[in-house]
Amino acid sequence: MEAIELIKAISSTLERKQEIIALNLGGIMKLIIDEGIRPFDTIREKNYGKKGETATDLMNVYRLVQDLAKGCMNATRIDILRFSNEILDMKSELRDNDRSIVNDCIWRLGILADYQDNLKRSTDCSFVYWIQELNTHFLSFIYAEPANVHRLKYLYMALEDSAYQLLASKHMEDPKSLKDNYLKDREDELVNQVIMPLARAIESDLRLQIHSLYISGIEKQNPLESSNLSWFLESQPLQFCEKIIDIKKRIEGYLDETFYNMTALNLND
């Protein structure tokens, strides 16, 4: 689970920084391409002014690479740059260290050119669909350790990937119903493992606090010996596909309903 959280934390951070990345991506790619075409200067030095088909071809490759470096790099330009490098490889025009520099720069440019697609593919956690049994253990751990409630966000980001993957199912006429059932199961899991036990614990604590004021002999609970459940109430709502799961509001609704029903029946409670 820690690996899944780390992957989703990286994805979430990079998505929040999209504007900054977009502003600086062009400059970063320009620095890389300048570094990558520097070894091509040796081609010009060796073949400038020479006659013959080979020299002409190599100078044409040099001019093409220089023209590519002047524009905005995209997948097509990177493919042409890669093809130009392969021509030089066939003619053994670059030294080994220069060839390594060019190959490394082309590799980095390829990653940056498809930055968003690469990020989405690298941080996809749809595989968690096949390890659903771990969800129960993880939720039980979160309930026992309230300070880790912030980790729920990353778990449900990973579960969201699984939900959208179900839309590609071919064995059902309506894949959306499969996704909806999956969302309901995961939400019920959170309610049963965390929200309802938390609501009952808060209800019991409130009852003890109230009764201790009016009934002698009831021992007051030491707050240092119990879990700090306020972590759950202070946590941000979880976004799970089209759903918003607000733990605090759900507990408030449960307590409002419970205490209204109890006080309506017994005014002393």
Side-chain angles (χ1 to χ4, degrees), residues 129 162-163 165-186:
Y129 178 82
S162 300
Q165 185 187 47
L166 294 176
L167 293 176
S169 301
K170 302 297 183 182
H171 66 287
M172 295 189 65
E173 295 181 0
D174 183 17
K176 187 177 183 301
S177 62
L178 185 64
K179 174 195 167 188
D180 292 340
N181 290 334
Y182 178 77
L183 295 181
K184 184 178 183 302
D185 289 343
R186 301 287 73 77

Side-chain angles (χ1 to χ4, degrees), residues 1 15 67 93-94 109 119 134 137 149 162 194 197 199 201 207 223 228 234 238 253:
M1 282 298 183
E15 287 178 1
D67 291 339
E93 290 292 329
L94 293 177
L109 287 171
L119 174 63
L134 295 180
H137 299 287
V149 66
S162 300
V194 176
R207 289 179 182 276
N228 185 4
E234 295 172 357
L238 298 173

Side-chain angles (χ1 to χ4, degrees), residues 132 135-136 139 185-194:
Q132 297 178 39
N135 294 346
T136 301
L139 293 176
D185 289 343
R186 301 287 73 77
E187 183 179 2
D188 291 345
E189 197 172 52
L190 177 63
V191 170
N192 295 331
Q193 293 291 325
V194 176

